[in-house]
């Protein structure tokens, strides 16, 4: 039996993670978030998904609860991971049934792989990595902790994505490149060289 889980995050990415969890056979206990808007709460209510309050309150009262983080921003995921881990929560890895995960892949705790994503062989992800809808990740690539590959992005083979980095929607990263920790690739960019730590690049070629 697949375990029940709580989604951390009430916004759009939270609801996407909820879709992945439900499609992969998990039971959603509900959603927790700090500062959820009335619009977020209305959209959850339309789906019949309970809003459970703040992460700190819920996980303090329910130690060991399984969860995924449905937050798009890598740095916010990093902070929430530290918060709920300290409260004893257990991260789950969820993969949409319409995604493809190739041979010899190792998906870290809390990884979310959305519908239509394609992971080739020997792809490794760290904690709470996100691979968005219809993204493609080539062979022998490493996606480090809290990193996001946004929808429609193409990450070629033998690429290293440092922790808390982000590859924007529709961007392309050419083979054998390294993106430093906390770096950002703008949407639709084409990365042709290594990217330094905490650097944002955009355009074609990305600069």
């Amino acid at each position: 039996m697949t375990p029940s889980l709580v989604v951390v995050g009430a916004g759009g990415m939270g609801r996407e993670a909820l879709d992945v969890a439900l499609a992969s056979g998990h039971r959603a206990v509900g959603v927790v978030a700090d500062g959820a808007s009335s619009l977020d709460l209305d959209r959850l209510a339309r789906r019949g998904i309970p809003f459970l309050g703040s992460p700190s309150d819920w996980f303090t009262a329910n130690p060991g609860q399984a969860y995924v983080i449905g937050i798009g921003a890598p740095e916010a995921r990093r902070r929430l991971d530290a918060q709920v881990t300290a409260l004893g929560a257990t991260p789950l890895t969820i993969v949409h049934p319409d995604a493809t995960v190739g041979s010899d892949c190792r998906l870290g705790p809390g990884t979310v792989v959305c519908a239509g994503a394609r992971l080739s062989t020997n792809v490794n992800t760290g904690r709470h990595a996100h691979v968005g809808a219809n993204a493609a990740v080539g062979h022998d690539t490493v996606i480090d902790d809290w990193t996001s590959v946004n929808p429609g992005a193409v990450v070629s083979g033998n690429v290293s994505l440092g922790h808390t980095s982000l590859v924007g929607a529709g961007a392309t990263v050419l083979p054998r490149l390294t993106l430093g920790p906390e770096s950002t690739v703008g949407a639709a960019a084409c990365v042709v060289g290594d990217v330094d730590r905490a650097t944002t690049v955009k355009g074609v070629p990305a600069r």
Side-chain angles (χ1 to χ4, degrees):
M1 177 183 294
T2 54
S4 62
L5 57 78
V6 165
V7 174
V8 181
M13 188 61 219
R15 285 178 281 112
E16 285 194 38
L18 185 61
D19 282 349
V20 176
L22 295 175
S24 55
H26 293 85
R27 183 178 72 85
V29 176
V31 170
V32 296
D34 289 319
S37 71
S38 59
L39 181 60
D40 291 334
L41 298 182
D42 287 346
R43 287 171 172 167
L44 289 172
R46 288 207 307 264
R47 299 182 57 176
I49 301 297
F51 178 69
L52 305 172
S54 73
S56 58
D57 289 345
W58 176 263
F59 291 115
T60 297
N62 298 274
Q65 171 71 64
Y67 75 99
V68 294
I69 300 178
I71 301 287
E75 175 59 24
R77 280 207 308 282
R78 185 192 66 77
R79 293 195 305 268
L80 282 164
D81 180 17
Q83 177 188 358
V84 300
T85 296
L87 296 171
T90 303
L92 280 185
T93 298
I94 56 174
V95 178
H96 196 284
D98 289 338
T100 300
V101 178
S103 62
D104 197 28
C105 290
R106 290 170 290 280
L107 305 183
T111 292
V112 176
V113 180
C114 295
R118 303 289 179 250
L119 278 62
S120 186
T121 184
N122 189 36
V123 173
N124 295 318
T125 70
R127 291 181 65 85
H128 298 287
H130 280 188
V131 182
N134 300 313
V137 180
H139 60 83
D140 307 311
T141 285
V142 175
I143 303 172
D144 208 344
D145 299 342
W146 317 298
T147 288
S148 293
V149 179
N150 279 1
V154 176
V155 178
S156 302
N158 284 294
V159 168
S160 177
L161 305 179
H163 73 76
T164 333
S165 61
L166 182 146
V167 179
T172 299
V173 182
L174 296 188
R176 295 178 294 280
L177 297 181
T178 297
L179 273 61
E182 303 169 359
S183 60
T184 299
V185 175
C190 182
V191 180
V192 299
D194 293 342
V195 177
D196 292 338
R197 183 186 188 106
T199 298
T200 296
V201 297
K202 55 188 177 180
V204 180
R207 302 183 188 280

